[in-house]
């Protein structure tokens, strides 16, 4: 850690929606900033005109908001700073830390082919670095196009990585990379350094696929004699089959998990444990606990596996911990969307919705399950589960349901206990196991063979609905057995 106030950033490229890898980097930087009372900034790296698309920016920011990664200060857009970078290229040319390269595409291609044939690593030979002033003058005078390359000093570059300790790379393996293209525009690694420096970034936490970039970026810091941020490269996120998570392999972006009914608290918690370790057995944490515990000391050095079943387990755990009200806020629009009920109906029966949520929350895997497993709380528009129908809806059940509906209707108080007493009373008289009544009753009032405790369910639905549904089921059974 440094004594300077922490300033970190996430720098998404809008070439797609918010990928879990970028979301995890954003989360680590966010937690680091919040833990050390620092600032968490956003910079949109939208200079790749071919691959960047404006329409990805808002969904990326939206997914970050959904995760609760609120950022400080205004967002920086690299596309608005293109002219700004040029002056810095000139400075390095003047100081001799960079040089003009007049090699043509064809020459470079031939160089690469040669290296390949000789089984040597393909890297720039440094030919233009050795141009004398006479040659340089001539080329400039004849208006030959040029790129600008950094002159990487001979020897080894080392830095202390927050995750992996000291890392070193020889200049032969860094090569004199291009910092400005022939149209004068800055390349990615150059723009990043100017931005990180001017934004006062103190720590850069990102995926370890950026280590090669880091060695290049360090050359630029050193050429300017600017203080370097501390770099931390976290292991990549892999799929259960050990391949790197990628869109191509069908992996989903954060917005899709949101649409799949994952709650943000679960995603936040799960992503945090992909590459960081709380050093306890406990896995389920609230956001505040993670902020408190999060330090750079607990990064993992080995790759992390993104396992959707594990995410679901986290989702279940967080749903149970959430308040009924907070869940109701998320579930209400889903019920409306699924046409199970209307907005108006829910607004006038908010207490009922909360109660339904409380009955179901132990059983759901995702928010959508509140709809899939609880639609009958809002409408009678369901069919009976086929297997259960065949098994439970027998002529005998019709007779029992008729009698039980009569007894329920006669109850003064429609409560868990009175319902249980009525059902068990009838079972006792007929010398039947209560299951003989419980299963067909559940099927009659919900269409399902599983769900919350039957008496709670009946009480929640209320007498008129329960009795009506039981009688409708009787009609259905009679009709079924008549034909
Ligand atoms: N735009 C880069 C990316 O999306 C950011 C890398 C960095 O954090 O410097 O991978």
């Amino acid at each position: 850690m440094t004594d300077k106030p922490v300033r970190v950033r996430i720098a998404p490229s809008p070439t797609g929606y918010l990928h879990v890898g970028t979301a995890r980097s954003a989360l680590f930087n966010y937690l680091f900033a919040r833990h050390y009372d620092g600032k968490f900034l956003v910079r949109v790296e939208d200079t790749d005109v071919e691959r960047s698309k404006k329409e990805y920016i808002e969904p990326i920011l939206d997914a970050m908001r959904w995760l609760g990664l609120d950022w400080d200060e205004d967002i920086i857009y690299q596309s608005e700073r293109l002219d700004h970078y040029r002056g810095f290229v000139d400075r390095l040319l003047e100081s001799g830390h960079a040089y003009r390269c007049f090699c043509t595409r064809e020459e470079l291609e031939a160089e690469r082919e040669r290296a390949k044939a000789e089984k040597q690593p393909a890297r720039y030979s440094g030919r233009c670095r050795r141009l004398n002033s006479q040659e340089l003058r001539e080329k400039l005078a004849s208006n030959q196009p040029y790129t600008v390359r950094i002159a990487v000093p001979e020897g080894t570059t080392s830095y202390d990585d927050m995750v992996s300790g000291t890392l070193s790379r020889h200049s032969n393996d860094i090569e004199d990379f291009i910092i400005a293209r022939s149209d004068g525009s800055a390349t990615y690694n150059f723009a990043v350094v100017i931005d990180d420096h001017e934004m006062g970034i103190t720590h850069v936490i990102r995926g370890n696929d950026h280590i090669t970039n880091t060695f290049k970026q360090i050359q630029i810091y050193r050429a300017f004699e600017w203080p370097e941020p501390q770099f931390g490269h976290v292991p990549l996120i892999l799929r259960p089959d050990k391949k790197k998570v990628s869109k191509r392999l069908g992996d989903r972006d954060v917005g899709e998990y949101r649409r799949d009914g994952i709650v943000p608290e679960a995603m936040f918690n799960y992503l945090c444990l992909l590459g960081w370790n709380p050093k306890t057995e406990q896995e389920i944490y609230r956001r505040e606990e993670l902020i408190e515990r999060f330090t750079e000391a607990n990064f993992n050095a080995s790759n992390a596996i993104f396992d959707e079943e594990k995410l679901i387990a986290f989702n279940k755990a967080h749903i149970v911990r959430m308040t009924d009200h907070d869940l109701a806020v998320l579930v209400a629009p889903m019920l409306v969307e699924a046409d199970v009920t209307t907005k108006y109906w829910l607004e006038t029966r908010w207490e009922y919705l909360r109660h339904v949520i409380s009955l179901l929350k132990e059983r759901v895997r995702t928010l959508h399950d509140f709809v899939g497993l609880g639609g009958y709380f809002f409408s009678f528009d369901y069919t009976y589960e086929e297997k259960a129908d065949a098994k439970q809806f027998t002529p005998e059940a019709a007779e029992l349901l008729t009698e039980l509906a009569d007894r329920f209707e006669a109850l003064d108080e429609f409560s868990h206990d009175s319902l249980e007493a009525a059902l068990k009373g009838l079972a006792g008289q007929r010398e039947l196991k209560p299951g003989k009544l419980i299963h067909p009753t559940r099927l009659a009032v919900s269409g399902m063979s599983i769900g919350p405790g039957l008496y709670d369910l009946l009480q929640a639905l209320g007498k008129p609905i329960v009795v009506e549904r039981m009688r409708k089921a009787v009609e259905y059974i009679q009709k079924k057995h008549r034909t």
Side-chain angles (χ1 to χ4, degrees):
M1 276 299 302
T2 51
D3 302 331
K4 273 203 280 180
V6 163
R7 287 174 69 82
V8 290
R9 48 58 169 191
I10 184 69
S13 305
T15 53
Y17 297 110
L18 185 67
H19 183 260
V20 291
T22 311
R24 196 250 334 232
S25 292
L27 182 85
F28 283 172
N29 282 287
Y30 166 88
L31 286 168
F32 191 73
R34 296 293 171 259
H35 179 84
Y36 289 111
D37 261 337
K39 298 278 189 234
F40 170 62
L41 313 179
V42 175
R43 179 174 73 234
V44 176
E45 304 204 319
D46 52 352
T47 48
D48 184 341
V49 278
E50 262 151 47
R51 294 176 60 229
S52 295
K53 291 214 169 63
K54 258 202 161 52
E55 57 262 36
Y56 288 128
I57 297 178
E58 219 17 74
I60 289 174
L61 298 175
D62 210 39
M64 288 196 18
R65 287 187 201 101
W66 173 75
L67 267 176
L69 305 179
D70 45 309
W71 55 90
D72 308 297
E73 304 182 9
D74 290 340
I75 297 176
I76 305 275
Y77 292 87
Q78 278 189 333
S79 58
E80 293 171 7
R81 292 168 51 81
L82 299 180
D83 286 336
H84 184 66
Y85 303 127
R86 294 175 195 258
F88 289 95
V89 175
D90 294 340
R91 272 171 60 181
L92 289 191
L93 279 171
E94 275 159 35
S95 65
H97 289 95
Y99 61 91
R100 295 176 180 83
C101 172
F102 298 90
C103 295
T104 62
R105 195 176 297 230
E106 293 71 35
E107 286 169 328
L108 294 172
E109 187 53 39
E111 223 176 64
R112 260 195 299 273
E113 287 301 318
R114 246 193 331 273
K116 217 159 109 193
E118 289 165 15
K119 298 214 164 31
Q120 295 295 322
R123 83 174 81 83
Y124 180 57
S125 65
R127 178 148 41 117
C128 291
R129 187 170 174 171
R130 295 185 290 270
L131 291 179
N132 60 36
S133 47
Q134 168 73 17
E135 290 166 321
L136 182 60
R137 257 200 311 279
E138 278 169 22
K139 285 186 186 291
L140 283 177
S142 64
N143 272 334
Q144 280 194 41
Y146 60 83
T147 58
V148 177
R149 290 182 184 269
I150 193 109
V152 177
E154 277 297 309
T156 300
T157 300
S158 300
Y159 79 94
D160 273 327
D161 194 276
M162 288 159 77
V163 180
S164 312
T166 304
L167 296 182
S168 304
R169 196 164 285 186
H170 193 268
S171 49
N172 286 345
D173 298 320
I174 301 175
E175 90 167 340
D176 289 356
F177 59 95
I178 297 177
I179 59 172
R181 303 181 187 90
S182 53
D183 63 3
S185 63
T187 56
Y188 166 74
N189 278 311
F190 194 71
V192 165
V193 172
I194 307 303
D195 290 340
D196 281 340
H197 174 68
E198 294 196 329
M199 289 164 76
I201 298 301
T202 55
H203 299 78
V204 173
I205 302 167
R206 57 189 175 195
N208 66 17
D209 48 342
H210 280 284
I211 290 183
T212 296
N213 285 332
T214 296
F215 278 107
K216 293 182 176 175
Q217 293 172 11
I218 286 175
Q219 309 304 320
I220 303 169
Y221 282 102
R222 296 189 182 169
F224 281 116
E225 296 182 20
W226 286 341
E228 289 155 41
Q230 269 184 271
F231 294 98
H233 291 91
V234 289
L236 294 184
I237 302 179
L238 303 181
R239 298 152 41 93
D241 60 9
K242 303 276 162 69
K243 297 207 170 85
K244 193 179 151 187
V245 283
S246 87
K247 197 85 200 158
R248 209 164 39 80
L249 293 174
D251 293 306
R252 286 173 291 170
D253 61 79
V254 171
E256 283 172 288
Y257 286 106
R258 172 188 191 173
R259 287 191 289 284
D260 284 350
I262 300 295
V263 295
E265 290 76 2
M267 194 65 167
F268 190 101
N269 186 170
Y270 185 57
L271 284 178
C272 180
L273 300 192
L274 294 178
W276 180 83
N277 190 333
K279 297 270 156 80
T280 64
E281 291 291 297
Q282 187 186 335
E283 285 193 313
I284 304 299
Y285 293 95
R286 285 179 302 112
R287 177 183 311 264
E288 294 71 27
E289 290 175 294
L290 290 172
I291 291 176
E292 198 179 309
R293 284 168 181 265
F294 194 87
T295 71
E296 66 281 18
N298 294 4
F299 281 127
N300 289 344
S302 56
N303 284 329
I305 307 282
F306 190 95
D307 176 352
E308 290 197 348
E309 268 312 305
K310 189 103 196 237
L311 172 63
I312 296 282
F314 274 61
N315 206 40
K316 283 177 67 124
H318 278 277
I319 285 176
V320 169
R321 282 170 170 71
M322 284 172 73
T323 66
D324 299 335
H325 174 80
D326 288 349
L327 286 167
V329 170
L330 298 175
V331 171
M334 293 180 158
L335 290 165
V336 176
E337 170 113 338
D339 241 351
V340 170
T341 182
T342 63
K343 194 160 169 266
Y344 173 76
W345 197 97
L346 288 176
E347 274 167 6
T348 52
R349 291 167 179 84
W350 195 252
E351 274 307 313
Y352 177 70
L353 173 61
R354 277 181 20 182
H355 184 55
V356 167
I357 299 263
S358 74
L359 293 178
L360 292 173
K361 73 199 246 191
E362 301 273 356
R363 291 161 199 280
V364 301
R365 288 163 51 89
T366 74
L367 291 174
H368 289 299
D369 288 344
F370 281 109
V371 182
L373 299 177
Y376 59 82
F377 280 108
F378 306 93
S379 91
F380 188 30
D381 187 19
Y382 53 78
T383 51
Y384 303 114
E385 247 176 52
E386 222 170 287
K387 252 189 165 159
D389 175 354
K391 182 158 177 220
Q392 305 296 344
F393 279 175
T394 59
E396 185 200 2
E399 195 259 317
L400 289 171
L401 282 174
T402 306
E403 174 65 26
L404 189 59
D406 288 343
R407 293 192 182 199
F408 282 172
E409 194 166 27
L411 289 174
D412 289 332
E413 196 192 281
F414 205 73
S415 67
H416 177 288
D417 292 353
S418 65
L419 285 159
E420 184 173 8
L423 187 143
K424 290 204 168 145
L426 177 59
Q429 277 177 13
R430 301 287 178 98
E431 294 183 2
L432 296 169
K433 285 200 188 125
K436 276 274 176 213
L437 291 167
I438 288 174
H439 300 310
T441 304
R442 176 187 295 286
L443 189 61
V445 301
S446 72
M448 294 191 180
S449 55
I450 48 150
L454 180 68
Y455 309 115
D456 291 331
L457 165 59
L458 297 173
Q459 186 186 338
L461 285 169
K463 190 199 281 188
I465 289 183
V466 167
V467 171
E468 186 196 341
R469 289 184 184 183
M470 289 172 77
R471 296 208 197 287
K472 284 260 168 59
V474 170
E475 280 170 30
Y476 167 84
I477 300 170
Q478 285 168 343
K479 211 163 129 200
K480 177 171 90 163
H481 286 283
R482 222 179 288 135
T483 50

